[in-house]
Amino acid sequence: MRISSVLLPTALFLLASSAGAQSMPYPQADAEPDATVRVTGALKPVRIYDDQAQQIAGTYALSNGWRLKVNPSSHAIAATIDKQKPMRLFAVSPYKFSSRDGRVTMEFNRGDMGDEMVMSYAPDPRFAEMVVISSSVAQR
C-alpha cells in the first residue's frame, strides 16, 4: 500500500472534522480593559431620529445563524445577540454604531431596500483578527 493513499484520506478527514468544530465567539463590547494605553477623542454624540430608529429596530438573522435584536434610543442602540448580555453601541453617523472601545461596529440601512446590516468585531484584542457578519432584517 502506498503512503499517499493513506495520507490523503486522513488529511481530508482531519480537515473536515476541524471545520465542523469551529464556532465563533460572541462579540464583547467594552470588555475588561487591557494593559495597553489608548488615546482617542471623545465620541461626538449623533442623534438618532425617529424615522432612523424605525428603520434599524428589529430582529436580524445573521449569516452565521445568530439572531440579533436591536433596540434604538436617542444616541445609541442596545444590541442583543441570542441570549448574550446586551451591548451598548453609540451612533457615530446616522446608521453606523460603535462600541466605546471600537471593537464592535454595526452599519445599518444597507442594500437596495435598506434592510441589510453588517457587523464587524474583534473577538480577541490580542490579535489583529476581525470577523465580519452580514444580515437581512428577519422581522420588525
Side-chain angles (χ1 to χ4, degrees):
M1 183 185 321
R2 295 171 47 193
I3 292 180
S4 63
S5 65
V6 173
L7 288 178
L8 182 61
T10 304
L12 290 175
F13 174 76
L14 290 174
L15 182 63
S17 65
S18 68
Q22 291 179 355
S23 64
M24 293 190 310
Y26 288 102
Q28 306 263 329
D30 295 332
E32 295 179 23
D34 48 8
T36 61
V37 175
R38 291 189 190 126
V39 177
T40 59
L43 286 175
K44 181 181 176 189
V46 174
R47 178 144 176 74
I48 303 169
Y49 295 98
D50 290 338
D51 61 328
Q52 295 166 332
Q54 288 176 355
Q55 289 178 347
I56 63 174
T59 303
Y60 293 81
L62 300 179
S63 59
N64 65 349
W66 294 347
R67 302 251 328 138
L68 170 69
K69 184 171 171 101
V70 176
N71 293 314
S73 65
S74 62
H75 295 290
I77 61 172
T80 306
I81 299 175
D82 293 338
K83 295 183 180 184
Q84 299 296 306
K85 181 179 168 185
M87 297 179 286
R88 189 160 172 83
L89 304 175
F90 297 90
V92 294
S93 72
Y95 296 104
K96 188 170 184 175
F97 299 83
S98 177
S99 61
R100 286 198 190 275
D101 61 5
R103 292 182 50 215
V104 180
T105 63
M106 293 183 189
E107 189 173 348
F108 297 88
N109 201 25
R110 295 175 52 110
D112 296 335
M113 304 293 288
D115 62 347
E116 297 176 12
M117 65 84 64
V118 172
M119 175 177 70
S120 60
Y121 70 97
D124 190 338
R126 298 173 296 167
F127 303 109
E129 176 185 18
M130 197 60 117
V131 176
V132 178
I133 303 170
S134 61
S135 173
S136 294
V137 117
Q139 73 184 93
R140 294 213 178 194

